[in-house]
């Protein structure tokens, strides 16, 4: 796909979140905009920093040092990769009204990258200690919904193109997978064990 085709697709998807013929006006009432800002905060550096610090403390206190290294590595790799790529690509933000403040370039979405890296790593860690397939499925479903909500909120708020979010999701997933492998994380407990 050429960059012009991607940009056209980005614009078409972004338009779905705006009132027809009024690109400055997002769909939905004011409370939906506020909800979008609340959801997007779940992928912020500050919120995820608190989550990681709390989880690292718990993992260290309970002796799960391999899992603590995995989480720390996943967050660090995702942060360096996302912000490094932002410096390389320097993609401008969408040319529409932004409903949230931004301080870096657009590609890839840091919120999408970090939410996938942190939430999926935590989900993997918790899932390893579940014998129930239903419990592991529940953890996966909740994590997927949370990650999707953060990414969609970035497009809804007008601060990212959909391709920024997709790239962030892919980058975050790679960070999570690589970190699990490098940290030597144990494989999940089998349902039949």
């Amino acid at each position: 796909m050429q960059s012009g085709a991607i940009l056209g697709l980005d614009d078409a998807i972004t338009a779905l979140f705006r009132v027809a013929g009024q690109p400055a006006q997002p769909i939905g009432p004011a409370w939906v905009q506020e909800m979008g800002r609340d959801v997007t905060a779940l992928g912020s550096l500050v919120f995820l920093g608190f989550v990681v610090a709390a989880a690292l403390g718990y993992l260290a206190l309970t002796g799960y040092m391999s899992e603590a290294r995995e989480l720390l590595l996943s967050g660090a790799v995702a942060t360096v990769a996302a912000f490094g790529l932002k410096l390389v690509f320097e993609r401008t933000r969408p040319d529409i009204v932004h409903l949230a403040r931004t301080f870096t370039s657009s590609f890839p979405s840091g919120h999408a990258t970090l939410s996938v890296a942190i939430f999926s790593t935590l989900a993997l860690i918790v899932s390893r200690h579940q014998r129930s397939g239903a419990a592991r499925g529940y953890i996966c479903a909740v994590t997927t919904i949370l990650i999707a909500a953060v990414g969609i909120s970035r497009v809804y708020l007008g601060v990212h193109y959909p391709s920024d979010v997709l790239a962030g999701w892919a980058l975050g997933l790679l960070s999570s997978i690589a970190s699990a492998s490098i940290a030597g994380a144990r494989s999940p407990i089998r349902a039949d064990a």
Side-chain angles (χ1 to χ4, degrees), residues 7 10-19 21-27 92-102 106 152-162 164:
L7 189 55
D10 275 340
D11 289 340
I13 294 171
T14 300
L16 296 174
F17 294 96
R18 300 292 164 159
V19 174
Q22 300 177 35
Q25 182 63 42
I27 58 172
T92 58
R93 300 277 176 169
D95 189 22
I96 55 177
V97 174
H98 298 171
L99 303 175
R101 294 188 68 183
T102 58
S106 191
I152 291 167
S153 75
R154 301 305 285 167
V155 177
Y156 175 79
L157 295 172
V159 295
H160 278 292
Y161 293 103
D164 299 335

Side-chain angles (χ1 to χ4, degrees), residues 101-113:
R101 294 188 68 183
T102 58
F103 303 97
T104 60
S105 59
S106 191
F107 183 89
S109 166
H111 282 67
T113 303

Side-chain angles (χ1 to χ4, degrees), residues 26 28-41 99 153 156-157:
W31 64 265
V32 173
Q33 295 171 34
E34 190 62 26
M35 188 173 66
R37 283 187 285 272
D38 291 344
V39 171
T40 214
L99 303 175
S153 75
Y156 175 79
L157 295 172

Side-chain angles (χ1 to χ4, degrees), residues 48-62:
L48 290 173
F50 283 129
V51 169
V52 168
L56 287 175
Y58 173 79
L59 292 169
L61 287 171
T62 55

Side-chain angles (χ1 to χ4, degrees), residues 44-108:
S44 70
L45 278 171
V46 172
F47 179 76
L48 290 173
F50 283 129
V51 169
V52 168
L56 287 175
Y58 173 79
L59 292 169
L61 287 171
T62 55
Y64 290 101
M65 296 310 294
S66 175
E67 287 83 352
R69 284 191 301 274
E70 177 184 357
L71 178 60
L72 188 60
L73 186 59
S74 182
V77 167
T79 301
V80 170
F83 290 97
L85 287 172
K86 283 177 177 289
L87 292 173
V88 169
F89 286 98
E90 294 184 339
R91 185 180 193 187
T92 58
R93 300 277 176 169
D95 189 22
I96 55 177
V97 174
H98 298 171
L99 303 175
R101 294 188 68 183
T102 58
F103 303 97
T104 60
S105 59
S106 191
F107 183 89

Side-chain angles (χ1 to χ4, degrees), residues 160-183:
H160 278 292
Y161 293 103
S163 59
D164 299 335
V165 171
L166 289 173
W169 284 339
L171 188 58
L173 187 59
L174 285 173
S175 297
S176 183
I177 292 169
S179 299
S181 177
I182 292 168

